[in-house]
Amino acid sequence: MVLFILCMNVGITVFPGSNCDRDIKRVVDQTLKTCSRFYWHKKNLPSNVDVVIIPGGFSYGDYLRPGIIASHSPIIKSIKKLAKKKTPILGICNGFQILLESNLLPGTLLKNTTLSFVCKWTNIIVHNVNTPFTNQLKLYQKIPISIANGEGRYYVDSETLTSMKKNDQIVFKYENDSNNSIYNIAGVCNEDMNVVGMMPHPERAAEYEINPIDNKPSLSIFASILNQFNIEN
Amino acid sequence: MTLTKNELSYIINRIHRDMTSTESHILNAEWSEHCSYKSSKQHLKPLQTYNLTSIVGHDSGIIEVGDGYVITAHIESHNHPSSIEPFGGASTGIGGVVRDILSSGTRPIALLDGLRFGNVENANTKWIFKNVVSGISHYGNCIGVPTIGGELEFDECYNDYALVDVMCIGLGKKKSLIKNRAKSGDLVILLGNFTGMDGIGGSQFASDSLRSQDDTTSAIQIPNPFIKKLIIEVIMELVNHNYIKAMKDLGGGGLSCAISEIAESLSIGITVDVDKIHTKQKMTPEEIMTSESQERMLLIIDKKKLQKIHQICKKFDLLYSIIGHVTWEKKIIVANKYHVVANLPIDLVVHPPLIDRESSIPRYIMKLKKEKKYSFSYSDLTKIFAKLIVSPNLANKNWVYNQYDYEVGLRTVVKPGYDAAVLKLDNKKYLSVSMDGNPKHCYLDPYYGTLGCFDEACRNIICSGSKLIGMVNHLQFGNPENKEIFWSFLKSLYGLIDYSKNFHIPCIGGKVSFYNETAHGQIKPSPVISMIGISDHPFNTLQIQNNDNLVIIGETKDELGGSEYFYQIFDSYAGKCPQVDFKASKLHMMVVTKLLKNSLVNSITDCSKGGIAMAISKLCMLNKIGCIVNVDQIPSTLKLQIDKILFSESHSRYIMAVPDNKLTKIISILRSNNVIFNLIGKFNTDKLIFKHSNNEIIKINIHTLYKKWMSTINELMI
């Protein structure tokens, strides 16, 4: 059966103000060599989409609150349906903010402690290798990765944090530079583990020329999707 | 209103009647120095040397980079607004330069910013600096264009003021460039933001000294990066479908300027119905025609394409209005419901009588030729060295560039903080970009100062392993009505022209900005030069190995006038301004390119601000390795005092790390080309040690120095 899937259908959502949509497409199509398509936010996603990636950027110019206006777009309704069907969904940076505002993931993101935008390279550690986006990584593997955000400080109440730990919902933690995120959290998933949100940008770390340290771990995040569908990279 | 008596009578003579109020507003905007270049235009002609790879006739400079691709480049400043409202001023500066790149039909792929502020200890400087950086960060990040480089300098002459130069680079296909053709009957469309009361008279505001801050609020524009991002995507879709016949951005002078300039360049006329324009509030025709509201583009389209364009705008919920049409008669006609409010010949609007400004050598120049006497002792050297390397002008600028999203777009191969930023293009080639200025040198000698900036910008590109392909510049001066200022402007311009011709580097774009002065007086002459290079393989400068050798190319001369050393340690500029020897400079560029091409070097940088001391420290700090340097081996003019050898800012010098097994080859290449060079040290320690007659005159731990160098500006800005 596996052999019939020659090319996956990776859906990349595009909102007004999405900035990393084309970057993700390049990594999926050229580096990972599979197929992706853009889906404009005004329409529903087709139900045959295999994976959904919500890219970073400034949807609606971050007006009101990052991700909040986008979370009311028509496309979010179909994303919620796909989430229930256990379709793998990854939100990166602003995509993570959108997933939080859509109540598909627990917690919230606060303004950075420096009160300014921060763009730099840092390391994150994998804490859950059972999601569709981490199954090709080793537990506690280090990932050199780029962060770029103004409101990237993850916060959640202690009760929810306890249950998240119990359910293995903490996917990535910062190695040391945590921007005061609670429990050093850099990425989380839902209880079903099919919806993952992360603040750092794996697409910026997946190519060797762009990543000054090591691009393989970040590329494994994308390669995990293929593995999920048993496709050889 | 800024039209002079002579200009008024010139206009009346041309149109044989009094101007209407709208006409007067249009001409005041378009004839401002900012829009018309009436003081500088006649002097700029020799600079327009184009070579085969550049394409003429667009708002931005265009260079072909092979495989059907072109890159576009443009530079602008937003100085007056940034001094009063730094956040919005800097933001709109970016917005403006991005529109110029879009106008050619190319996608903006990178931004650079050259920032100059007053004494960083002043509270007001900190406020301006902090907010300019957040303005750039806010706008650039939001539109998804990476800010990959630039420069930062503090100098008292910019107290209560700011120079905010922004450069944008675009990438596109040659065949998709906007053709800029139009015929009678084509529609004129205004796309994007509402026209409002913000920024009215902005170009006149920028064409006057900033002596009082009353009544200037409405001259400052309001940025909206979200709408700009939508405009970028809409324009890119329209370009891909070839729906646009001609395009112009709305910047200084607003609609008046955009309409008259596009009409002039296409040899057409345009009739505008002001009632059709989507406005924020009720406005008079005068206000509509001169409003500098941001995030607007003017498009000329074929009637038949309107429906398709409508659909694309609707997809992005972007507003547009059909504001007029193209006519064959070369006139700008503005009408509202009731009557025609302006009817002017295009050439009158676009070509004001040029002004032949007088110039004379500034009196201060002679006084600054002689160095101030100072005392110096070997025992102070380590202290002086440590102070200088971490001083605000030489310190690492991570506090600034970490606020910019420099990665978006997946192109940034060499990140900010190195000699030149390097971008990956779509045709597997790499673009290097640098930006340099040196107002202290230009103050002492505007001609050699400008040559020096040009040379430094080139050296930075050469060090990244690239070939020089084009230059854009921005000349910023005080009041051109002042003869001494105008003399400096001319000298600086001659510097640009001479260098450009001698090195066959095409000047693909530039701007002139006058009236940069405050109640404290004029700014120093501040030309900023940005150089663009291209390569097949970018050079990675972070490869120093233990036991590598330190080699210097070039001669160190007694040229400490305007040096960071004199300025930071002795609070003086006076002395000899470094000169550029064209022959040596060319030879060194050729040889360095050869060495990098043959992979003979592990790391390289050029000597500029802070001299050899700074260049070696930078290599050591970035590679996190120390070095023992024998100062006596540094090739220099006879009997040069040690501090001068270390801190002189002579041009055309490079320092590099060379592995043992490649040393003989390098020496033979350098010898056979008659290059002045020497082996001056070894990277084999964690300390940076400078030796003179076998005494350690400077000794400093490289990790301690690095920490301080990285944190200077952070600590200042807490």
Side-chain angles (χ1 to χ4, degrees):
Chain A
M1 170 202 159
V2 175
L3 292 170
F4 295 131
I5 313 168
L6 289 171
C7 206
M8 286 174 51
N9 186 6
V10 178
I12 301 170
T13 63
V14 186
F15 296 90
S18 292
N19 285 340
C20 306
D21 43 344
R22 283 171 301 122
D23 297 0
I24 289 173
K25 190 164 178 41
R26 183 169 111 193
V27 170
V28 172
D29 294 357
Q30 292 177 25
T31 314
L32 201 64
K33 299 197 167 51
T34 186
C35 315
S36 64
R37 276 185 65 182
F38 290 135
Y39 291 96
W40 185 240
H41 73 114
K42 284 182 182 172
K43 288 180 187 158
N44 286 326
L45 277 167
S47 56
N48 66 347
V49 167
D50 296 317
V51 177
V52 180
I53 302 182
I54 312 176
F58 288 72
S59 57
Y60 292 95
D62 269 3
Y63 286 122
L64 195 55
R65 196 163 75 220
I68 179 76
I69 305 180
S71 73
H72 293 273
S73 274
I75 205 169
I76 293 295
K77 275 187 201 137
S78 50
I79 288 180
K80 282 182 174 167
K81 275 186 204 153
L82 288 169
K84 263 190 202 149
K85 271 175 51 191
K86 303 214 176 143
T87 303
I89 296 166
L90 175 65
I92 300 166
C93 204
N94 188 234
F96 185 15
Q97 292 164 333
I98 294 170
L99 287 175
L100 292 171
E101 291 292 351
S102 309
N103 290 323
L104 284 165
L105 289 173
T108 191
L109 287 156
L110 305 174
K111 216 167 180 44
N112 294 345
T113 40
T114 56
L115 299 182
S116 53
F117 192 92
V118 177
C119 176
K120 61 181 179 188
W121 285 81
T122 187
N123 292 317
I124 56 172
I125 307 289
V126 187
H127 280 256
N128 175 346
V129 291
N130 299 316
T131 78
F133 303 99
T134 52
N135 60 46
Q136 289 292 285
L137 291 153
K138 292 191 193 81
L139 194 61
Y140 307 128
Q141 185 175 346
K142 191 197 277 191
I143 308 177
I145 203 161
S146 154
I147 56 164
N149 57 60
E151 303 189 24
R153 184 156 56 100
Y154 186 78
Y155 179 77
V156 71
D157 62 84
S158 57
E159 207 176 308
T160 318
L161 183 63
T162 314
S163 84
M164 285 169 74
K165 284 184 197 166
K166 207 178 83 195
N167 298 331
D168 214 2
Q169 282 176 263
I170 291 143
V171 185
F172 301 108
K173 285 175 74 173
Y174 293 104
E175 187 186 36
N176 35 43
D177 192 349
S178 66
N179 186 24
N180 274 355
S181 287
I182 197 162
Y183 196 56
N184 281 354
I185 286 174
V188 301
C189 64
N190 62 349
E191 282 184 35
D192 289 337
M193 292 189 195
N194 65 315
V195 182
V196 174
M198 64 192 296
M199 222 42 215
H201 286 271
E203 80 279 12
R204 296 183 183 184
E207 292 182 7
Y208 77 94
E209 278 184 313
I210 308 294
N211 186 329
I213 305 137
D214 182 9
N215 68 310
K216 282 175 233 80
S218 272
L219 190 56
S220 299
I221 292 180
F222 293 96
S224 295
I225 317 172
L226 294 183
N227 183 60
Q228 184 76 11
F229 290 86
N230 289 319
I231 297 173
E232 294 274 323
N233 188 8
Chain B
M1 294 292 142
T2 51
L3 290 173
T4 64
K5 256 188 193 162
N6 286 343
E7 288 172 337
L8 281 171
S9 57
Y10 179 88
I11 294 166
I12 308 295
N13 270 334
R14 276 291 306 273
I15 60 175
H16 308 296
R17 58 174 167 83
D18 281 338
M19 284 185 287
T20 66
S21 167
T22 309
E23 287 172 343
S24 161
H25 277 81
I26 292 174
L27 287 164
N28 266 292
E30 189 57 23
W31 284 26
S32 66
E33 185 65 52
H34 181 86
C35 291
S36 69
Y37 281 49
K38 58 192 173 191
S39 302
S40 56
K41 212 175 201 171
Q42 65 268 49
H43 303 287
L44 294 170
K45 279 197 183 117
L47 196 53
Q48 291 159 351
T49 50
Y50 293 100
N51 73 354
L52 290 172
T53 51
S54 55
I55 298 164
V56 198
H58 286 264
D59 272 0
S60 49
I62 302 176
I63 308 177
E64 292 191 55
V65 290
D67 309 295
Y69 287 93
V70 290
I71 64 131
T72 50
H74 193 69
I75 194 167
E76 278 199 358
S77 70
H78 226 213
N79 303 339
H80 277 36
S82 300
S83 315
I84 291 179
E85 208 280 84
F87 183 89
S91 295
T92 45
I94 297 197
V97 76
V98 164
R99 283 194 302 272
D100 285 308
I101 295 303
L102 275 178
S103 298
S104 306
T106 52
R107 180 181 277 279
I109 58 162
L111 290 162
L112 286 93
D113 49 30
L115 307 178
R116 293 195 156 71
F117 304 102
N119 184 342
V120 69
E121 304 288 345
N122 293 351
N124 193 39
T125 300
K126 285 187 191 180
W127 177 76
I128 296 177
F129 172 34
K130 188 178 167 199
N131 284 291
V132 161
V133 172
S134 7
I136 295 171
S137 158
H138 169 71
Y139 200 100
N141 298 350
C142 190
I143 59 171
V145 181
T147 305
I148 56 161
E151 41 162 12
L152 171 64
E153 186 168 7
F154 302 97
D155 189 297
E156 276 80 11
C157 76
Y158 308 113
N159 277 352
D160 298 324
Y161 197 60
L163 293 191
V164 178
D165 288 295
V166 273
M167 183 204 184
C168 188
I169 294 177
L171 177 67
K173 284 272 174 91
K174 188 183 174 188
K175 65 172 177 17
S176 305
L177 284 173
I178 299 295
K179 307 288 179 295
N180 281 329
R181 272 180 221 135
K183 63 172 197 311
S184 177
D186 283 344
L187 298 181
V188 180
I189 279 185
L190 186 62
L191 182 87
N193 208 355
F194 291 100
T195 300
M197 296 295 279
D198 53 312
I200 289 184
S203 57
Q204 288 112 291
F205 167 58
S207 306
D208 201 355
S209 308
L210 196 56
R211 288 185 185 276
S212 102
Q213 301 191 353
D214 308 332
D215 289 334
T216 49
T217 39
S218 81
I220 294 175
Q221 305 83 359
I222 302 166
N224 188 335
F226 175 57
I227 295 184
K228 177 58 57 62
K229 168 70 177 164
L230 297 180
I231 292 181
I232 294 176
E233 298 308 329
V234 166
I235 299 275
M236 284 302 116
E237 283 210 16
L238 296 177
V239 166
N240 286 341
H241 289 98
N242 201 9
Y243 289 160
I244 304 173
K245 292 186 84 171
M247 184 159 40
K248 177 95 188 156
D249 80 296
L250 279 87
L255 257 182
S256 307
C257 183
I259 287 181
S260 53
E261 285 181 13
I262 200 168
E264 154 80 7
S265 72
L266 303 178
S267 300
I268 54 169
I270 288 178
T271 299
V272 176
D273 181 349
V274 280
D275 291 334
K276 294 276 168 63
I277 295 168
H278 53 291
T279 56
K280 219 179 274 181
Q281 56 256 99
K282 205 170 154 38
M283 292 170 77
T284 64
E286 292 89 334
E287 288 161 347
I288 292 175
M289 290 307 290
T290 54
S291 160
E292 293 184 13
S293 289
Q294 294 294 294
E295 333 304 357
R296 298 180 300 159
M297 296 291 284
L298 189 79
L299 274 57
I300 295 183
I301 60 154
D302 191 327
K303 248 185 217 157
K304 288 179 223 144
K305 299 279 163 45
L306 186 62
Q307 194 48 36
K308 302 266 190 206
I309 292 172
H310 174 77
Q311 279 165 6
I312 292 175
C313 289
K314 201 171 164 223
K315 174 184 165 190
F316 287 90
D317 296 317
L318 190 67
L319 293 170
Y320 73 92
S321 354
I322 304 160
I323 65 164
H325 60 273
V326 173
T327 59
W328 59 267
E329 198 185 8
K330 291 173 193 163
K331 280 187 158 188
I332 169 170
I333 297 172
V334 181
N336 61 14
K337 246 181 272 160
Y338 310 105
H339 44 264
V340 170
V341 293
N343 182 349
L344 292 169
I346 298 286
D347 72 311
L348 175 71
V349 183
V350 182
H351 298 298
L354 300 179
I355 302 173
D356 207 359
R357 302 259 183 226
E358 288 178 55
S359 70
S360 76
I361 183 165
R363 278 151 292 177
Y364 75 82
I365 282 199
M366 290 314 287
K367 285 186 207 149
L368 287 179
K369 284 217 189 285
K370 215 168 165 201
E371 267 175 28
K372 210 163 100 178
K373 281 211 172 89
Y374 67 96
S375 65
F376 144 84
S377 93
Y378 286 117
S379 56
D380 296 338
L381 259 181
T382 301
K383 226 161 76 192
I384 288 176
F385 179 85
K387 185 181 168 189
L388 192 62
I389 301 297
V390 303
S391 63
N393 283 345
L394 297 181
N396 187 285
K397 312 297 189 289
N398 64 82
W399 183 86
V400 178
Y401 62 71
N402 280 350
Q403 295 188 45
Y404 303 151
D405 186 350
Y406 51 78
E407 298 284 355
V408 63
L410 294 194
R411 296 185 185 280
T412 320
V413 175
V414 176
K415 326 279 182 200
Y418 299 93
D419 289 339
V422 178
L423 290 172
K424 192 175 167 180
L425 299 179
D426 294 352
N427 60 347
K428 302 212 167 99
K429 288 203 170 136
Y430 298 85
L431 198 75
S432 306
V433 201
S434 65
M435 188 185 252
D436 290 285
N438 195 324
K440 291 188 190 72
H441 286 168
C442 294
Y443 184 60
L444 290 184
D445 186 332
Y447 178 77
Y448 274 109
T450 305
L451 288 186
C453 299
F454 208 139
D455 202 60
E456 191 191 340
C458 292
R459 294 196 304 266
N460 287 332
I461 297 298
I462 296 290
C463 286
S464 72
S466 303
K467 188 176 89 181
L468 306 164
I469 57 170
M471 172 273 281
V472 295
N473 65 82
H474 194 195
L475 304 172
Q476 299 161 104
F477 292 83
N479 186 340
E481 295 153 35
N482 175 332
K483 290 180 199 175
E484 298 190 346
I485 301 285
F486 204 69
W487 182 89
S488 297
F489 161 71
L490 289 177
K491 286 286 166 193
S492 184
L493 181 62
Y494 298 154
L496 278 186
I497 294 168
D498 285 357
Y499 200 102
S500 177
K501 278 193 175 156
N502 241 288
F503 285 75
H504 303 291
I505 295 167
C507 166
I508 61 163
K511 292 280 259 186
V512 180
S513 152
F514 285 123
Y515 300 98
N516 290 292
E517 57 177 22
T518 62
H520 307 304
Q522 316 273 356
I523 61 159
K524 293 193 172 85
S526 308
V528 169
I529 292 169
S530 191
M531 187 63 62
I532 301 164
I534 199 150
S535 70
D536 294 327
H537 307 283
F539 177 71
N540 175 8
T541 198
L542 295 181
Q543 310 178 91
I544 297 189
Q545 305 293 323
N546 201 22
N547 274 325
D548 275 1
N549 303 284
L550 178 63
V551 173
I552 185 164
I553 288 181
E555 193 184 20
T556 303
K557 296 171 192 155
D558 189 0
E559 295 175 321
L560 278 98
S563 64
E564 286 298 322
Y565 173 58
F566 275 5
Y567 172 65
Q568 294 289 346
I569 310 295
F570 304 107
D571 195 20
S572 157
Y573 302 115
K576 195 174 169 213
C577 171
Q579 308 213 336
V580 176
D581 176 345
F582 285 164
K583 212 176 132 199
S585 174
K586 262 188 214 169
L587 176 67
H588 296 176
M589 285 183 198
M590 185 274 289
V591 166
V592 167
T593 304
K594 193 171 173 184
L595 299 182
L596 295 182
K597 215 172 187 175
N598 292 309
S599 309
L600 297 171
V601 174
N602 280 350
S603 189
I604 186 162
T605 190
D606 71 308
C607 299
S608 51
K609 288 185 188 122
I612 291 176
M614 183 63 219
I616 296 177
S617 306
K618 203 170 141 192
L619 269 200
C620 288
M621 288 188 290
L622 291 175
N623 282 281
K624 302 215 173 63
I625 189 166
C627 184
I628 300 171
V629 187
N630 189 345
V631 180
D632 304 329
Q633 297 295 325
I634 297 174
S636 65
T637 39
L638 271 180
K639 290 185 189 158
L640 202 54
Q641 201 169 284
I642 294 298
D643 60 329
K644 294 193 163 181
I645 294 181
L646 291 175
F647 303 120
S648 164
E649 298 181 5
S650 294
H651 292 295
S652 311
R653 295 177 301 160
Y654 301 81
I655 58 154
M656 49 202 191
V658 180
D660 278 338
N661 59 356
K662 287 168 183 165
L663 201 55
T664 353
K665 179 116 196 244
I666 284 197
I667 290 175
S668 94
I669 293 177
L670 293 173
R671 280 217 180 110
S672 66
N673 284 291
N674 291 323
V675 172
I676 297 178
F677 76 98
N678 212 355
L679 177 65
I680 60 168
K682 211 152 179 69
F683 294 90
N684 56 1
T685 157
D686 62 349
K687 292 185 182 64
L688 180 54
I689 299 168
F690 286 85
K691 277 183 167 179
H692 164 53
S693 329
N694 264 331
N695 297 320
E696 293 180 348
I697 49 170
I698 294 174
K699 188 173 181 178
I700 204 155
N701 181 297
I702 209 70
H703 301 286
T704 326
L705 189 65
Y706 177 75
K707 249 191 194 160
K708 278 193 185 156
W709 183 62
M710 291 296 282
S711 62
T712 299
I713 296 182
N714 289 280
E715 277 161 20
L716 277 167
M717 295 310 291
I718 285 170

